[in-house]
Amino acid sequence: MSPEPAAASPSRTAVGRETVRVDGPLKVSGAARYTADFHFPDMLYAVPVCATIASGTIAAIDTKAAEAMPGVRKIYTRDTIGKFYRVPASGGGIIDERRPPFEDDTIRYYGQYVALVVADTFEQAIAAAHRVKTSYRAAAFDVSTALSPEETPKVKSRRGDPNAAFDAAAVKIDHVYNTPIETHSSIELHASVATFDGSHFTLYETTQAVGNFRDVLAQMLGVPKENVRVVTEYLGTGFGGKLWPWPQSLLAVAAARDLRKPVKLVMTRQMTFESAGHRPHTRQRVRLGATAEGKLVSLRHDYAYSRAPLSSYAENCGESSGFMYSTPNLSVSEAFATRNVGVPTSMRGPGAVPGLYALESAIDELAVALKMDPVALRLHNEPAIDESKNIPFSSRHLKECLATGAETFGWSRRTPAVGSMRENGAVLGWGMAACTWMAARWEAQVSVMFNDDGTLRVASGTQDIGTGTYTVLAQMAAELAGVDVGKIKVLIGDSSLPPGPISGGSMATASLVPAVAQATREAIRNLIAAARESDSHFANVPVDRLAFHEGRVHRKDQPPGEGRQFEEVLASARLGHVEGRGKSEGTFRNKNPTVSTHSFGAHFVEVAWQPEIARLRINRTVSVIDGGRIVNPLTARNQIEGAVTMGIGMALFEETHYDHRHGMPINSNLADYIMATHADTPPMEVIFLDYPDTHLNEMGVRGIGEIGLAGVAAAITNAVYHATGVRVRDLPVKIEDLLASSVA
Ligand code: MOS
């Protein structure tokens, strides 16, 4: 941690300094408004009616009894909900479930919405929803977890002759790894509060992307974007489950449109499991061929995932397989199988997280087969360039992550034999895995304003999903303008602001940097121009003889201390504010990048296995992250610790089970869907290498969050193997699996 800077330059080191969340006091005092906290006079409550079959058609919906219940205003079905449009495949915004709610009578998954009850209170609405009688013509459905691809696998990446090289390899690994469906379980439930004034819609919504949500709503309602505003002041996290719109939000808006009253709809936890996305099930076969000395000669990664009818979501498990290790021969292929489950979506580290579980498990299995240390094996196969694209990496320090992690963890004391390490009567297992996550920029626009009250306002239509965007935006503006963090006002979470980046892919911060920098510089230029128009001190001094330094405009021939604070300059020019605008271009349109940009890292894990009581615990973890320049070590460490916690859940607990008789997610609540709690999380050490990656932006910021989850599950199962000799290739680890261990 950097020491406190000298008082004379309070803001120079705003970026890179541990800064407590600027929104912390609002959150701990309950003043921060989350979506469900919004109330309006005459507000009504909506509760959807959900299908109780997983496939078939609606035969009839009888709403009579429900309509007669107290407080019920209206019950909507396909006949009465009003018109919805689809979103075009490109250009209209992103949505995973493109079929609008109630579009037809076909049921494709359990929990699909069939009707909507609107009443004066939530209790009245939910009671009436239970009285709506729906009959169905049920059809056969499939929620099985065995994945057989429906089409010929699609080749995603290929080089050399992977089959011949595998066949000829001295040492081979060929295994299948399965990951189950996982459901995003943010503490804050999905919520919508919709208002309509006859022409304009305002939707208070739980979203990781207010701008995209506005675009999608405008498309589905058939109104211009200007008529829709989406607001998310605070989000109780999303993990990808709140990236794109889900159908219940549109139902709330349609009810507000029809009744001309504010309508609130909060999903139940059960509904979240049925119809607000999940990480699909994956089946991944990994084949590795190596020389006897441990050089990879062939890598084959063939994966399949489950998806839903009408969904085109792809779980890109091979995202990192092409560049993680050096190998002349490689192939990565993708396939899918359709299941009658709700539409899947991105979940923290989509693709790479299940993909690296498989790849990093296979690398560990190869190390065992080679009798080689798994850290040494990875170092031995470090590529010089991104071999999948034949371009250099912008900044790759995986070797240092591995070395620093090994040193910090004490890896040299590891004895490789299974069950060979003991402590306090428990068997210790030491495992590790490497990780990576993409780094890129979304398009972003930012407004920066010097105000006559002495504040600097930074505004962008992005949002803080709990990761610290309010704080890092304040830090970046403070750094660029040389103004105290405490004087920065951050305005985000509103689609009426200049279009900001989505909070997805761990890219919001990196995307905002160029836009904030450009906007701040333009605001400073406008401030200097305004200074010339002030009626004292700078009047008629040519612009090129004026400069700006740490909040002050001064004459270049005088020290900054002789200048004027920006609020004095504005007051004397009789201006309320001056503004600058900035824009970041996205990097995704660049089809011919000259460098390959990714974050890297390594996780080291110690597990304790007590065979006599069949108890497995995580004792400690060390994570070393090469994530570019770290804007705020406090919020950054918080991201990695949260991600490692999620990795413990992925390795040991998380799995959505579907009832094979009805197709219903049966552990659809936080009692039965087991996640890691504080009691499951050990002391976690997090180290950032902090190499600025200036290919991505001038501050060298990449992104963190998802990188912290990638690789964790493999590090844990690799440690479990070291302790027990049981190789877990189907997540999550089940205690029953470990009872096969001969370690006693
Ligand atoms: Mo993340 S899955 O990009 O919210």
Side-chain angles (χ1 to χ4, degrees), residues 550-598:
E550 294 188 350
R552 297 174 84 79
V553 179
H554 67 97
R555 294 169 60 128
K556 282 183 182 166
D557 57 4
Q558 295 178 345
E562 308 265 307
R564 294 284 183 268
Q565 258 317 107
F566 67 83
E567 57 268 36
E568 296 170 55
V569 172
L570 291 170
S572 111
R574 294 178 183 79
L575 294 172
H577 66 258
V578 289
E579 185 185 15
R581 292 265 179 155
K583 185 174 178 179
S584 307
E585 302 298 334
T587 55
F588 285 103
R589 290 208 189 122
N590 183 2
K591 295 293 173 221
N592 294 300
T594 53
V595 287
S596 175
T597 51
H598 303 271

Side-chain angles (χ1 to χ4, degrees), residues 74 121 141 271 326 465 601 642 660 730:
K74 194 154 175 177
T121 68
F141 66 92
M271 288 176 198
S326 176
I465 64 172
H660 286 250
D730 297 302

Side-chain angles (χ1 to χ4, degrees), residues 234-581:
Y234 294 93
L235 196 77
T237 257
F239 304 119
K242 293 169 182 163
L243 258 180
W244 318 125
W246 294 108
Q248 81 288 343
S249 306
L250 191 67
L251 292 177
V253 174
R257 174 175 69 179
D258 181 55
L259 296 167
R260 299 285 170 99
K261 289 200 187 299
V263 173
K264 179 184 286 193
L265 190 159
V266 181
M267 284 181 104
T268 61
R269 183 65 64 182
Q270 180 180 340
M271 288 176 198
T272 309
F273 276 77
E274 293 164 359
S275 55
H278 57 261
R279 191 200 295 283
H281 174 52
T282 75
R283 177 191 190 276
Q284 306 176 59
R285 182 177 181 188
V286 181
R287 276 169 274 193
L288 302 176
T291 65
E293 295 74 40
K295 272 278 181 218
L296 267 182
V297 293
S298 177
L299 191 165
R300 295 182 62 182
H301 188 177
D302 301 299
Y303 62 89
Y305 52 86
S306 56
R307 75 185 198 192
L310 301 186
S311 155
S312 54
Y313 176 77
E315 187 73 19
N316 187 13
C317 298
E319 198 252 331
S320 55
S321 305
F323 64 82
M324 199 61 183
Y325 298 108
S326 176
T327 178
N329 305 292
L330 171 136
S331 82
V332 177
S333 81
E334 171 198 73
F336 65 87
T338 305
R339 294 289 176 267
N340 293 97
V341 295
V343 173
T345 193
S346 297
M347 182 170 177
R348 203 174 193 177
V353 162
L356 282 164
Y357 161 65
L359 180 62
E360 289 299 295
S361 293
I363 293 283
D364 198 71
E365 301 211 45
L366 180 63
V368 171
L370 286 161
K371 295 190 170 46
M372 209 171 156
D373 178 82
V375 175
L377 175 62
R378 286 169 173 87
L379 291 170
H380 196 48
N381 288 285
E382 176 74 5
I385 60 165
D386 179 338
E387 295 176 1
S388 68
K389 296 197 182 89
N390 267 314
I391 50 175
F393 291 103
S394 60
S395 173
R396 171 168 167 145
H397 301 90
L398 179 54
K399 284 170 108 166
E400 190 175 331
C401 291
L402 292 164
T404 304
E407 172 69 29
T408 308
F409 190 82
W411 189 257
S412 61
R413 297 195 305 276
R414 182 181 188 259
T415 53
V418 164
S420 64
M421 295 176 75
R422 310 269 164 154
E423 187 184 80
N424 302 330
V427 185
L428 297 186
W430 283 13
M432 54 76 56
C435 63
T436 184
W437 180 247
M438 63 181 85
R441 291 195 319 258
W442 309 109
E443 278 176 24
Q445 294 182 38
V446 169
S447 154
V448 168
M449 248 182 214
F450 287 99
N451 294 316
D452 70 342
D453 66 358
T455 62
L456 185 74
R457 173 190 183 266
V458 187
S460 179
T462 187
Q463 47 287 307
D464 190 332
I465 64 172
T467 48
T469 302
Y470 278 105
T471 309
V472 297
L473 258 176
Q475 287 178 270
M476 293 194 292
E479 174 98 357
L480 288 155
V483 171
D484 268 351
V485 165
K487 291 201 165 165
I488 313 283
K489 279 190 195 165
V490 179
L491 210 67
I492 56 176
D494 188 332
S495 66
S496 64
L497 297 169
I502 68 165
S503 298
S506 307
M507 292 173 200
T509 305
S511 308
L512 286 162
V513 172
V516 178
Q518 195 186 337
T520 307
R521 284 180 192 126
E522 189 182 296
I524 290 170
R525 277 197 302 277
N526 290 338
L527 181 72
I528 288 174
R532 286 191 68 226
E533 289 166 25
S534 62
D535 56 7
S536 64
H537 201 71
F538 302 118
N540 302 317
V541 181
V543 168
D544 60 5
R545 304 235 179 113
L546 293 177
F548 177 89
H549 183 74
E550 294 188 350
R552 297 174 84 79
V553 179
H554 67 97
R555 294 169 60 128
K556 282 183 182 166
D557 57 4
Q558 295 178 345
E562 308 265 307
R564 294 284 183 268
Q565 258 317 107
F566 67 83
E567 57 268 36
E568 296 170 55
V569 172
L570 291 170
S572 111
R574 294 178 183 79
L575 294 172
H577 66 258
V578 289
E579 185 185 15
R581 292 265 179 155

